[in-house]
Amino acid sequence: MKELFYFSKSDLMIQVQYSNQANTIRYASHRNVSDDERQLIEKYIHTNILAGKEIEQDSVAMDYLGIDYKLIGSLNQFHAVRPLKDKENKTASGNPFEHLMNKDIDKSVQNLIDTSMESYYFEKIGTTIIELRKVVEADAKAPEIKRIQADLRDLIEAYNQYATRKVDAKDLLPN
């Protein structure tokens, strides 16, 4: 058996492991625990975990392993999950972390879309600038140049919607 427990009163996350072969219970916490907290934890383990099992409670050795820094991540995930307001929002799998996982996936997908669109518009801007240079060097008429400049401004506006570093058309186009 290996389970996580959270004590809200002291904002404490512990991981409890029971070994049948060694007849021991080991537990670790995300931070140092005081002597009072250790007594509370061990009392909780005896009354709530061992009580339901066919284990002779007096013969079980209880070991505190100290701090397990991996539990900090579990505690942060636990804090990030908002309590459900009604039963309709409850996930079908019963996993309270499913919303958090979906949120991370959604954020990753959005980041991928933003990066892809930024790259796409960056390349289109580069191509349009090259086209504009060729048109200017070929002594094209003003309406043609203005059309390409308008296209370039539209591309820059689209690029700025996805980019973290915004670009101004004045920075790219000479007077």
Side-chain angles (χ1 to χ4, degrees), residues 38-93:
R38 280 181 73 172
Q39 289 176 354
L40 179 74
I41 291 167
E42 291 178 8
K43 182 178 178 185
Y44 179 84
I45 290 170
H46 277 289
T47 56
N48 295 313
I49 298 172
L50 296 177
K53 307 212 182 308
E54 296 177 14
I55 302 169
E56 199 172 311
Q57 291 187 20
D58 297 334
S59 66
V60 175
M62 190 87 60
D63 291 329
Y64 175 57
L65 300 175
I67 299 173
D68 183 357
Y69 292 104
K70 294 176 189 170
L71 293 176
I72 294 173
S74 299
L75 180 66
N76 289 337
Q77 283 184 336
F78 183 78
H79 282 158
V81 174
R82 294 185 202 118
L84 299 174
K85 296 201 176 171
D86 57 21
K87 292 181 181 177
E88 296 170 350
N89 291 335
K90 203 168 198 176
T91 59
S93 66

Side-chain angles (χ1 to χ4, degrees), residues 4-174:
L4 289 174
F5 293 96
Y6 176 70
F7 295 89
S8 61
K9 205 170 205 177
S10 55
D11 192 33
L12 178 69
M13 177 74 68
I14 64 168
Q15 183 175 32
V16 178
Q17 298 174 352
Y18 174 69
S19 171
N20 286 331
Q21 295 168 340
N23 199 30
T24 60
I25 288 191
R26 298 171 151 191
Y27 65 96
S29 60
H30 83 280
R31 62 168 173 81
N32 281 327
V33 294
S34 66
D35 290 334
D36 291 338
E37 288 174 327
R38 280 181 73 172
Q39 289 176 354
L40 179 74
I41 291 167
E42 291 178 8
K43 182 178 178 185
Y44 179 84
I45 290 170
H46 277 289
T47 56
N48 295 313
I49 298 172
L50 296 177
K53 307 212 182 308
E54 296 177 14
I55 302 169
E56 199 172 311
Q57 291 187 20
D58 297 334
S59 66
V60 175
M62 190 87 60
D63 291 329
Y64 175 57
L65 300 175
I67 299 173
D68 183 357
Y69 292 104
K70 294 176 189 170
L71 293 176
I72 294 173
S74 299
L75 180 66
N76 289 337
Q77 283 184 336
F78 183 78
H79 282 158
V81 174
R82 294 185 202 118
L84 299 174
K85 296 201 176 171
D86 57 21
K87 292 181 181 177
E88 296 170 350
N89 291 335
K90 203 168 198 176
T91 59
S93 66
N95 182 358
F97 296 110
E98 186 172 327
H99 172 69
L100 180 66
M101 288 183 266
N102 289 340
K103 183 178 162 186
D104 288 344
I105 290 170
D106 292 344
K107 190 185 292 183
S108 295
V109 168
Q110 187 60 48
N111 187 28
L112 179 64
I113 291 169
D114 290 347
T115 304
S116 298
M117 294 303 290
E118 181 181 355
S119 297
Y120 171 77
Y121 284 116
F122 183 81
E123 290 177 19
K124 292 293 273 181
I125 288 169
T127 305
T128 306
I129 289 174
I130 292 170
E131 179 186 353
L132 182 61
R133 280 187 181 166
K134 288 179 183 177
V135 168
V136 168
E137 289 173 357
D139 291 330
K141 305 253 185 223
E144 170 105 20
I145 293 173
K146 290 193 186 281
R147 182 192 58 79
I148 296 173
Q149 286 176 332
D151 290 347
L152 187 59
R153 284 190 185 92
D154 290 343
L155 288 170
I156 291 170
E157 186 177 318
Y159 172 83
N160 284 338
Q161 288 180 356
Y162 298 101
T164 54
R165 184 173 160 246
K166 307 300 182 201
V167 176
D168 191 6
K170 294 174 188 173
D171 295 337
L172 297 178
L173 295 174

